[in-house]
Amino acid sequence: MPSEKILQAKKDAVVELVEKLKNAQAGVLVDYIGINVADDTKLRRELREAGVEYTVIKNSILHFAAKEAGYEGLDAYLSGSTALALSNDDPIAPAKILGKFADDSKGKFSVKCGFMDGEIMTEAEVMELSKLPSKEGLLTALVCALASPIKGIAIALNEIVEKNGGDEGEAA
């Protein structure tokens, strides 16, 4: 039977993880077995630079924390080795980075599932999300889409002014 000190440390870990899960915009669970130290270091650096917290976690602690945070559907994915990536700022960042890494690792590293906005996402949904453009890319596309009609109007107005201005100049 575990000592009172160990049991309290586990309870504290669950409470801390519940807060992280509740504050996260999105998260992804992965099976990290099979990657080497160099790849793991590179992955952790990329996640850190994107503001994503990445932690290897015990399935039992994640089970209790997920249940308390309202993500009971994660239980089906809590077997084997598990690492958790959480993002408080960019909901697509964990899926984007880990999805690309899983594609590049050729089966050594795999996405188990993810969650966003209180909903559990399957591996396929996380991988689909990973192929979306970044937040900046989406904003750029939106600006271009909004600017295109304005640019067309400006060109048309400019042509009208030039045409009218050219006619008056010739008449005078």
Side-chain angles (χ1 to χ4, degrees):
M1 183 162 188
S3 72
E4 189 66 33
K5 189 176 181 180
I6 292 172
L7 198 54
Q8 187 58 46
K10 289 181 179 182
K11 286 179 182 179
D12 292 344
V14 168
V15 169
E16 182 182 341
L17 186 56
V18 167
E19 279 305 306
K20 288 180 181 181
L21 289 171
K22 286 182 176 178
N23 293 330
Q25 284 195 16
V28 175
L29 273 64
V30 296
D31 184 344
Y32 60 89
I33 291 297
I35 64 170
N36 61 37
V37 174
D39 288 341
D40 187 54
T41 303
K42 180 182 171 189
L43 174 63
R44 286 175 183 269
R45 184 180 318 111
E46 190 175 348
L47 288 164
R48 194 173 31 254
E49 288 171 357
V52 177
E53 182 180 342
Y54 180 77
T55 311
V56 171
I57 190 135
K58 287 187 165 200
N59 288 324
S60 59
I61 290 177
L62 184 54
H63 161 77
F64 290 113
K67 184 176 181 181
E68 195 167 324
Y71 289 111
E72 293 179 24
L74 291 178
D75 277 351
Y77 303 97
L78 300 180
S79 63
S81 62
T82 304
L84 173 65
L86 297 173
S87 177
N88 294 337
D89 302 320
D90 185 354
I92 297 177
K96 189 162 203 58
I97 295 168
L98 294 170
K100 182 181 182 317
F101 193 83
D103 279 344
D104 294 346
S105 73
K106 297 175 180 44
K108 296 179 192 173
F109 179 94
S110 62
V111 171
K112 290 183 175 187
C113 69
F115 57 90
M116 185 187 312
D117 297 329
E119 300 293 323
I120 306 295
M121 298 183 295
T122 64
E123 175 195 4
E125 291 169 327
V126 172
M127 295 305 286
E128 189 175 316
L129 185 63
S130 75
K131 291 170 181 37
L132 285 177
S134 67
K135 185 177 182 181
E136 292 78 20
L138 290 172
L139 288 173
T140 301
L142 176 64
V143 168
C144 288
L146 293 174
S148 182
I150 295 169
K151 183 179 176 184
I153 291 171
I155 290 171
L157 289 174
N158 191 37
E159 288 178 8
I160 292 170
V161 168
E162 286 178 7
K163 183 178 179 185
N164 288 339
D167 287 347
E168 290 174 14
E170 292 173 11

